[in-house]
Amino acid sequence: MNLNTPFKNYRKRSSSKNISSPEPVIVPQIGTSNTPSNLSTKNNNIVKYSVLYRKFTNKKNKTWEGDGTLIWYTNNDIALIKNEDDTMICKLKDANKSILKGSFSGSGYEFELDEEIVTSKIPKLTLSSTPTQIIHKPIIKPFKSPLLTINSNNNKNNIIKNIDQKDQKGQNIIQKDKIVDNKKVQDIITKSSSSKQTKETNRLKSSDPLYDIKNVQNPLFMPDFPKSIDDSEIHRKVVVDPVLSVKLRDHQRYGVEFLYSCLMGLKSSDINGAILADEMGLGKTLQTITLIWTLLRQSHIVGKKPIIDKVLICCPVSLVSNWKNEFSKWLGMNRVGVLAINGNKFQNEVRDIQLFPNNKVYQVMIIGYEKMQSMSELLSEITFDLLICDEGHRLKSSENKAIKTLKSFNIKRTILLSGTPIQNDLTEFYTMADFVNPGVLGSLKHFQKTFVKPILSSRDAKCTNKALIKKGKEKSKELVELTNKFILRRLNDELTKYLPKRSDYILFIAPTSLQLQLFKTIIETKRFQTLIDGETDENSSTIKNSSSSSSSLNLINSFRKICNSPSLLKTDSFFLDISERSSNSAEDVEFRNQLGKKVKSGKILVLIKLLGLLYAKNDEKVVIVSNFTATLDIIESIFQSLGLAFTRLDGSTPSNERGKIVDSFNKSSTTKSFAMLLSAKAGGVGLNLIGASRLILFDNDWNPAVDLQAIARIHRDGQMKDVKVYRFLTNGCMDEKIFQRQLVKQDLSDRFVDQKGGEKEIFDRSDLKDIFTINFDKIKTNQYCNTHELMCCDCNGKGEIVLENEFGSDLEDSNEESDEDEDEETKEKKKFMSALDYTQKYPDNENENTKVDEIKRKRLRRCLKGYRHIQPVQSSIVFKTDDDILDTLLNGQDREKPLISYVFGKY
Amino acid sequence: MSREEDMDGMIGAGSIILVDQLQDLGINAGDITKLKAAGIYSVSTVMSTTKRNLSKIKGLSEVKVEKIKEASNKLVNCGFVSALIQCDIRKRVIKISTGCKSFDQMLNGGISTMSTTEVFGEFRTGKTQLSHTLCVTAQLPKDQGGAEGKVAYIDTEGTFRPERIHEIAERFGLDGNQCLENISYVRALNSEHQHELVEQLGMHLSQGGYRLIIVDSIISLFRVDYSGRGELGERQQKLNQHLSKLGRMAEEFNCAVFLTNQVQSDPGASALFASVDGRKPVGGHILAHASQTRILLRKGRGDERIAKIQDSPECPEGECTYVLGSGGIMDVSE
């Protein structure tokens, strides 16, 4: 060690300041020194390090007491160590070795080297410039939402490419960036993405509509609110999510707007609910779902929460799963949480309902009416913001428990969905309107006094007071105006624009001789005569006693059974009774057995032929609808004997299987499932049978709505092929009579029907006699059609389109004309005149019966407008309808014994 | 959770105070670098580390440690607050949907951030599938049950499948590639590495944007590295430190920590441990107490699985059924 070292000044250093000392240390160079490679070349002989020191301890958990500085004189390899207060605590020889080690001890202390202290003015070089030490700071990309939107900005900053270095094992080591100026780019990224984030998250707070509609062709905006008094409320446009609005048809768009304005109180302050009474197939479900989704996510005031939070949907039990499927079909499974309470035994319903309001998992609850009753206590704990009642005509009776329970929930906004809201009674109508908008029609008494009484009395057929009729019409007009604010009804013709063509064929089928014989048997029994005569004797306006009315009902049913198939009479106790075949004598038993074997009726024969032709065509499936399960049994056995595949759905099919049956029918080929046998009532509830393109209504019901429902099963959204509907009627028999009455009733349903309505009305006494009249002779000619005759149509059955002139003057006008005539008549009648003059002027020719016939005729014509009349048994003509199967049937008939006597076709 | 909730936990490190801010209070940059090297990135982490542990960091003397602690105390208040304020803090909690609505209902909305959830069950019960599903649901927007955040996935068993993420993203209508971008994945090599990763994680988390940390499974590497009764004590201690660190991170950075656990057989099990088939979760009481919510998964009929809450600070006991499908965890459809 060379002690003759020249004087070197060294500086004190305070360790707690982080400013590097400004003065340079000038060290004269004595000689060359072996500087280790990691020393900076600025100070030749002195290198300073910061060290940690502690007193020597044997403890397990050692800590460093403090920080000191080590000054290393490289020339003589001595190091001095000082603590924070600049007192020297140690002096080291062979400093080089110790420094290389990093941690060393001396003078009762232990030391650990930290880092070098650089004391020059020159700013510290950034660590990244020294090549061997690269601190890898991976660029952490901020979160970018992976949502696929319609206008997702492709915000690709293609500048950066991150290359993952993988070693042999495929692990990611480090991500290097290939950029020159990485800091600058990172700034750009963070700025742009964070601004995008703020944009997205603050969409609710901005006054733009919630969805980006620049690329949407026809955005559907909801009606605006009027300017409010409160200036702090900024309004924004409420727009329907483009995902849904592109799928809405025009009438549905209008429907959603209408519902929105009703619910939000835009129409009037006392209107908070609406009735959507569109006919079946117009998309009430879709309109409702669109409205719910819009209200769940948006508010018309900037910065406020969305308008509704929790929704309750009440519907018939079998439709609960259907609603859930509709939600997932239109909105996908993840946008809205839908809780369906449908009796699935895996579900803990009570717990689900209790947890429903607490969290954000579910927003919509779908529950059946009965379940809603039983869980009403639990449900009353939940605050719902919107109530939807599907098939709302269930709520038509005000004494109905369901209505009372629903009212007790105090849900502010209500929507009622119903395909047939106005069925029979004005009071029922009042109940529904009052449920949706309490008080809009006044109290019940007020409503009855102001509207019901005048309207009904004006509708009464016997009413002659002109003033009354006029007042009734006025009141009815007023009522319609009042209710049009919150009731929306569109008819099925809207759909015809979108759906494939539908052709209706009414086939009047000749009854077999056995059928005619059975009819004769009944008519000729004594019991029958007494029944008929007994009824026509009574005054037509009084009610019959129940025994005779029930027996006429039984009689009608027996007749219907004969029309379907004689074998059904085997178990008909009424028939057996009346024909005295109900005893257990051998003869009677034999008779019944024989009867049971006679399956074939006119309709069955035609059915077999039709099915044969249809199956041969091999690309269309058929649905056969009947009102009797016994008939369906017969048809089933026919199918089995023919070897054709079929599925059956009636009231006895368990509800959880129905969905599967329907699905498999729609999707399978004709070989696997050619026909669906459907019971009219069971099939009415929302089934979707678009896999079939032909429908056979094997028999009909008094209520035209039932038949219409059946037709709507196949002629609806999703149907690809042209639809052909065949209606089988046994010519001149009960089938046809029921059909005629159906038409009359259907006509009346558009207006308010008087009194009790329903089946009882049909049993007009004179009417009954007519029902049971069978014109045997005319039927046997095979050219007769009772309906055609009733319509007084002069065409010759060649299948040409019947023009209106043939019917005479326009029906509406003629009614009004007669009204005016009557007006004058009554005026004249009030003057005095001699009795002779009176009888000459007004001969007593207006028999009530003929008047009723006249009305019937007009109505029949009106309902059967547009049908072509075809009489198949004509010598020279080969008929061509738009259905080649029907053509084959008609033209290939036996002239002597044709199966089909007449056809009405609308195509 | 109201719509007007505090959103700044999301964007950037709004509520996270980074250690760099200690410079203003007199701690020099070098010390701050040392802190970062040890995995301490935020001031709240400093607060949660004991002086003893801080002293163990290379290069920090006791004096330094005192200074750092003092400075941190000035920045973050860790004293008593009224529960009302705590309630406000809890409003920032986000519930992440699991993909199955009845599962969410049972958990009162989903797995929650600021807490540790542990899921255990035999093989084939769906633990890894649940992890994958959560990777995707955590990225959904908040009104769809997600957390709009990134995911950190620590894989110890080698079961992570990006292809599954694609399928699950399809189910939710998301862009598969972007989903994968938002998942930070690492394969842990041994238990020490696993612990070091958590320190690394601190750096990532402090940037903000993370909402979910998945460790699948938490125990498998520990089970391997420590064998025998003798090392059991050490294993449990290490595990405890590891879990405590994860748990603290969850609370500080508003993330959900989701752990998967294995089961061990217990041939002599009596009815003492009420698990269904004589199997109990590994990890003993350390793991049991470290996680706030514990869920048992078991196999039901066919492809149904049943989840049951064993321990939860807020949800009542309950069971729910779910199925494993191509879209991850799904509801049982009728």
PDB file of all heavy atoms in Angstrom, chain A residues 591-609:
ATOM      1  N   PHE A 591    -127.483 -55.011 -32.704  1.00  0.00           N
ATOM      2  CA  PHE A 591    -127.639 -53.745 -33.437  1.00  0.00           C
ATOM      3  C   PHE A 591    -126.502 -52.787 -33.103  1.00  0.00           C
ATOM      4  O   PHE A 591    -125.883 -52.173 -33.980  1.00  0.00           O
ATOM      5  CB  PHE A 591    -128.981 -53.109 -33.075  1.00  0.00           C
ATOM      6  CG  PHE A 591    -129.162 -51.727 -33.649  1.00  0.00           C
ATOM      7  CD1 PHE A 591    -129.515 -51.556 -34.983  1.00  0.00           C
ATOM      8  CD2 PHE A 591    -128.961 -50.593 -32.858  1.00  0.00           C
ATOM      9  CE1 PHE A 591    -129.683 -50.283 -35.502  1.00  0.00           C
ATOM     10  CE2 PHE A 591    -129.130 -49.321 -33.377  1.00  0.00           C
ATOM     11  CZ  PHE A 591    -129.492 -49.157 -34.700  1.00  0.00           C
ATOM     12  N   ARG A 592    -126.214 -52.706 -31.825  1.00  0.00           N
ATOM     13  CA  ARG A 592    -125.184 -51.770 -31.403  1.00  0.00           C
ATOM     14  C   ARG A 592    -123.817 -52.198 -31.950  1.00  0.00           C
ATOM     15  O   ARG A 592    -123.034 -51.379 -32.415  1.00  0.00           O
ATOM     16  CB  ARG A 592    -125.123 -51.671 -29.870  1.00  0.00           C
ATOM     17  CG  ARG A 592    -126.351 -50.990 -29.275  1.00  0.00           C
ATOM     18  CD  ARG A 592    -126.051 -50.448 -27.898  1.00  0.00           C
ATOM     19  NE  ARG A 592    -125.848 -51.495 -26.909  1.00  0.00           N
ATOM     20  CZ  ARG A 592    -126.816 -52.063 -26.217  1.00  0.00           C
ATOM     21  NH1 ARG A 592    -128.060 -51.712 -26.419  1.00  0.00           N
ATOM     22  NH2 ARG A 592    -126.543 -53.013 -25.326  1.00  0.00           N
ATOM     23  N   ASN A 593    -123.560 -53.519 -31.896  1.00  0.00           N
ATOM     24  CA  ASN A 593    -122.280 -53.985 -32.421  1.00  0.00           C
ATOM     25  C   ASN A 593    -122.134 -53.672 -33.893  1.00  0.00           C
ATOM     26  O   ASN A 593    -121.087 -53.232 -34.361  1.00  0.00           O
ATOM     27  CB  ASN A 593    -122.118 -55.498 -32.201  1.00  0.00           C
ATOM     28  CG  ASN A 593    -121.773 -55.800 -30.760  1.00  0.00           C
ATOM     29  OD1 ASN A 593    -121.277 -54.936 -30.055  1.00  0.00           O
ATOM     30  ND2 ASN A 593    -122.043 -57.013 -30.321  1.00  0.00           N
ATOM     31  N   GLN A 594    -123.226 -53.945 -34.623  1.00  0.00           N
ATOM     32  CA  GLN A 594    -123.185 -53.670 -36.049  1.00  0.00           C
ATOM     33  C   GLN A 594    -122.939 -52.195 -36.308  1.00  0.00           C
ATOM     34  O   GLN A 594    -122.180 -51.811 -37.189  1.00  0.00           O
ATOM     35  CB  GLN A 594    -124.517 -54.082 -36.696  1.00  0.00           C
ATOM     36  CG  GLN A 594    -124.673 -55.575 -36.895  1.00  0.00           C
ATOM     37  CD  GLN A 594    -123.611 -56.128 -37.797  1.00  0.00           C
ATOM     38  OE1 GLN A 594    -123.276 -55.521 -38.825  1.00  0.00           O
ATOM     39  NE2 GLN A 594    -123.070 -57.269 -37.442  1.00  0.00           N
ATOM     40  N   LEU A 595    -123.615 -51.414 -35.482  1.00  0.00           N
ATOM     41  CA  LEU A 595    -123.467 -49.968 -35.646  1.00  0.00           C
ATOM     42  C   LEU A 595    -122.026 -49.544 -35.413  1.00  0.00           C
ATOM     43  O   LEU A 595    -121.481 -48.702 -36.114  1.00  0.00           O
ATOM     44  CB  LEU A 595    -124.406 -49.254 -34.657  1.00  0.00           C
ATOM     45  CG  LEU A 595    -124.681 -47.783 -34.936  1.00  0.00           C
ATOM     46  CD1 LEU A 595    -125.173 -47.593 -36.355  1.00  0.00           C
ATOM     47  CD2 LEU A 595    -125.719 -47.288 -33.955  1.00  0.00           C
ATOM     48  N   GLY A 596    -121.402 -50.204 -34.419  1.00  0.00           N
ATOM     49  CA  GLY A 596    -120.029 -49.844 -34.106  1.00  0.00           C
ATOM     50  C   GLY A 596    -119.060 -50.107 -35.229  1.00  0.00           C
ATOM     51  O   GLY A 596    -118.000 -49.496 -35.319  1.00  0.00           O
ATOM     52  N   LYS A 597    -119.465 -51.028 -36.109  1.00  0.00           N
ATOM     53  CA  LYS A 597    -118.527 -51.343 -37.183  1.00  0.00           C
ATOM     54  C   LYS A 597    -118.661 -50.396 -38.360  1.00  0.00           C
ATOM     55  O   LYS A 597    -117.796 -50.330 -39.222  1.00  0.00           O
ATOM     56  CB  LYS A 597    -118.775 -52.769 -37.677  1.00  0.00           C
ATOM     57  CG  LYS A 597    -118.341 -53.802 -36.674  1.00  0.00           C
ATOM     58  CD  LYS A 597    -118.536 -55.197 -37.214  1.00  0.00           C
ATOM     59  CE  LYS A 597    -118.393 -56.204 -36.066  1.00  0.00           C
ATOM     60  NZ  LYS A 597    -118.949 -57.497 -36.412  1.00  0.00           N
ATOM     61  N   LYS A 598    -119.769 -49.708 -38.397  1.00  0.00           N
ATOM     62  CA  LYS A 598    -119.983 -48.857 -39.570  1.00  0.00           C
ATOM     63  C   LYS A 598    -119.252 -47.547 -39.388  1.00  0.00           C
ATOM     64  O   LYS A 598    -119.809 -46.535 -38.989  1.00  0.00           O
ATOM     65  CB  LYS A 598    -121.486 -48.568 -39.759  1.00  0.00           C
ATOM     66  CG  LYS A 598    -122.345 -49.761 -39.772  1.00  0.00           C
ATOM     67  CD  LYS A 598    -122.350 -50.402 -41.146  1.00  0.00           C
ATOM     68  CE  LYS A 598    -123.328 -51.556 -41.141  1.00  0.00           C
ATOM     69  NZ  LYS A 598    -122.909 -52.689 -41.913  1.00  0.00           N
ATOM     70  N   VAL A 599    -117.995 -47.596 -39.678  1.00  0.00           N
ATOM     71  CA  VAL A 599    -117.177 -46.413 -39.442  1.00  0.00           C
ATOM     72  C   VAL A 599    -117.390 -45.361 -40.514  1.00  0.00           C
ATOM     73  O   VAL A 599    -117.376 -44.171 -40.271  1.00  0.00           O
ATOM     74  CB  VAL A 599    -115.687 -46.814 -39.396  1.00  0.00           C
ATOM     75  CG1 VAL A 599    -114.802 -45.584 -39.339  1.00  0.00           C
ATOM     76  CG2 VAL A 599    -115.441 -47.684 -38.183  1.00  0.00           C
ATOM     77  N   LYS A 600    -117.628 -45.853 -41.725  1.00  0.00           N
ATOM     78  CA  LYS A 600    -117.505 -44.911 -42.830  1.00  0.00           C
ATOM     79  C   LYS A 600    -118.664 -43.951 -42.928  1.00  0.00           C
ATOM     80  O   LYS A 600    -119.817 -44.320 -42.804  1.00  0.00           O
ATOM     81  CB  LYS A 600    -117.408 -45.712 -44.129  1.00  0.00           C
ATOM     82  CG  LYS A 600    -116.125 -46.475 -44.182  1.00  0.00           C
ATOM     83  CD  LYS A 600    -115.666 -46.741 -45.585  1.00  0.00           C
ATOM     84  CE  LYS A 600    -114.305 -47.403 -45.502  1.00  0.00           C
ATOM     85  NZ  LYS A 600    -114.097 -48.431 -46.447  1.00  0.00           N
ATOM     86  N   SER A 601    -118.336 -42.724 -43.120  1.00  0.00           N
ATOM     87  CA  SER A 601    -119.328 -41.702 -43.411  1.00  0.00           C
ATOM     88  C   SER A 601    -118.817 -40.977 -44.639  1.00  0.00           C
ATOM     89  O   SER A 601    -117.696 -41.207 -45.097  1.00  0.00           O
ATOM     90  CB  SER A 601    -119.457 -40.736 -42.253  1.00  0.00           C
ATOM     91  OG  SER A 601    -118.297 -39.963 -42.144  1.00  0.00           O
ATOM     92  N   GLY A 602    -119.617 -40.098 -45.158  1.00  0.00           N
ATOM     93  CA  GLY A 602    -119.205 -39.356 -46.346  1.00  0.00           C
ATOM     94  C   GLY A 602    -117.870 -38.658 -46.123  1.00  0.00           C
ATOM     95  O   GLY A 602    -116.950 -38.708 -46.928  1.00  0.00           O
ATOM     96  N   LYS A 603    -117.755 -38.037 -44.968  1.00  0.00           N
ATOM     97  CA  LYS A 603    -116.540 -37.271 -44.699  1.00  0.00           C
ATOM     98  C   LYS A 603    -115.321 -38.172 -44.610  1.00  0.00           C
ATOM     99  O   LYS A 603    -114.233 -37.836 -45.098  1.00  0.00           O
ATOM    100  CB  LYS A 603    -116.706 -36.494 -43.381  1.00  0.00           C
ATOM    101  CG  LYS A 603    -117.691 -35.351 -43.501  1.00  0.00           C
ATOM    102  CD  LYS A 603    -117.454 -34.293 -42.451  1.00  0.00           C
ATOM    103  CE  LYS A 603    -118.211 -34.596 -41.187  1.00  0.00           C
ATOM    104  NZ  LYS A 603    -118.164 -33.493 -40.238  1.00  0.00           N
ATOM    105  N   ILE A 604    -115.512 -39.318 -43.992  1.00  0.00           N
ATOM    106  CA  ILE A 604    -114.369 -40.227 -43.845  1.00  0.00           C
ATOM    107  C   ILE A 604    -113.903 -40.695 -45.211  1.00  0.00           C
ATOM    108  O   ILE A 604    -112.695 -40.773 -45.484  1.00  0.00           O
ATOM    109  CB  ILE A 604    -114.751 -41.443 -42.964  1.00  0.00           C
ATOM    110  CG1 ILE A 604    -115.169 -40.978 -41.580  1.00  0.00           C
ATOM    111  CG2 ILE A 604    -113.644 -42.442 -42.911  1.00  0.00           C
ATOM    112  CD1 ILE A 604    -114.134 -41.073 -40.528  1.00  0.00           C
ATOM    113  N   LEU A 605    -114.858 -40.944 -46.081  1.00  0.00           N
ATOM    114  CA  LEU A 605    -114.471 -41.421 -47.415  1.00  0.00           C
ATOM    115  C   LEU A 605    -113.652 -40.360 -48.136  1.00  0.00           C
ATOM    116  O   LEU A 605    -112.631 -40.654 -48.759  1.00  0.00           O
ATOM    117  CB  LEU A 605    -115.716 -41.765 -48.226  1.00  0.00           C
ATOM    118  CG  LEU A 605    -116.489 -43.008 -47.752  1.00  0.00           C
ATOM    119  CD1 LEU A 605    -117.796 -43.124 -48.500  1.00  0.00           C
ATOM    120  CD2 LEU A 605    -115.648 -44.264 -47.977  1.00  0.00           C
ATOM    121  N   VAL A 606    -114.146 -39.143 -48.050  1.00  0.00           N
ATOM    122  CA  VAL A 606    -113.410 -38.065 -48.725  1.00  0.00           C
ATOM    123  C   VAL A 606    -112.036 -37.894 -48.093  1.00  0.00           C
ATOM    124  O   VAL A 606    -111.027 -37.668 -48.770  1.00  0.00           O
ATOM    125  CB  VAL A 606    -114.200 -36.741 -48.632  1.00  0.00           C
ATOM    126  CG1 VAL A 606    -113.376 -35.591 -49.158  1.00  0.00           C
ATOM    127  CG2 VAL A 606    -115.495 -36.852 -49.389  1.00  0.00           C
ATOM    128  N   LEU A 607    -112.002 -38.051 -46.780  1.00  0.00           N
ATOM    129  CA  LEU A 607    -110.726 -37.886 -46.082  1.00  0.00           C
ATOM    130  C   LEU A 607    -109.698 -38.890 -46.583  1.00  0.00           C
ATOM    131  O   LEU A 607    -108.547 -38.560 -46.868  1.00  0.00           O
ATOM    132  CB  LEU A 607    -110.937 -38.064 -44.564  1.00  0.00           C
ATOM    133  CG  LEU A 607    -109.677 -37.963 -43.714  1.00  0.00           C
ATOM    134  CD1 LEU A 607    -109.146 -36.548 -43.718  1.00  0.00           C
ATOM    135  CD2 LEU A 607    -109.961 -38.402 -42.292  1.00  0.00           C
ATOM    136  N   ILE A 608    -110.168 -40.140 -46.698  1.00  0.00           N
ATOM    137  CA  ILE A 608    -109.228 -41.185 -47.129  1.00  0.00           C
ATOM    138  C   ILE A 608    -108.687 -40.862 -48.521  1.00  0.00           C
ATOM    139  O   ILE A 608    -107.481 -40.938 -48.789  1.00  0.00           O
ATOM    140  CB  ILE A 608    -109.920 -42.561 -47.124  1.00  0.00           C
ATOM    141  CG1 ILE A 608    -110.295 -42.934 -45.696  1.00  0.00           C
ATOM    142  CG2 ILE A 608    -109.020 -43.616 -47.731  1.00  0.00           C
ATOM    143  CD1 ILE A 608    -111.085 -44.199 -45.586  1.00  0.00           C
ATOM    144  N   LYS A 609    -109.600 -40.458 -49.388  1.00  0.00           N
ATOM    145  CA  LYS A 609    -109.161 -40.157 -50.758  1.00  0.00           C
ATOM    146  C   LYS A 609    -108.164 -39.006 -50.768  1.00  0.00           C
ATOM    147  O   LYS A 609    -107.119 -39.041 -51.417  1.00  0.00           O
ATOM    148  CB  LYS A 609    -110.380 -39.776 -51.601  1.00  0.00           C
ATOM    149  CG  LYS A 609    -111.102 -40.916 -52.246  1.00  0.00           C
ATOM    150  CD  LYS A 609    -111.382 -40.595 -53.706  1.00  0.00           C
ATOM    151  CE  LYS A 609    -111.668 -41.844 -54.496  1.00  0.00           C
ATOM    152  NZ  LYS A 609    -113.053 -42.240 -54.548  1.00  0.00           N
TER     153      LYS A 609
END
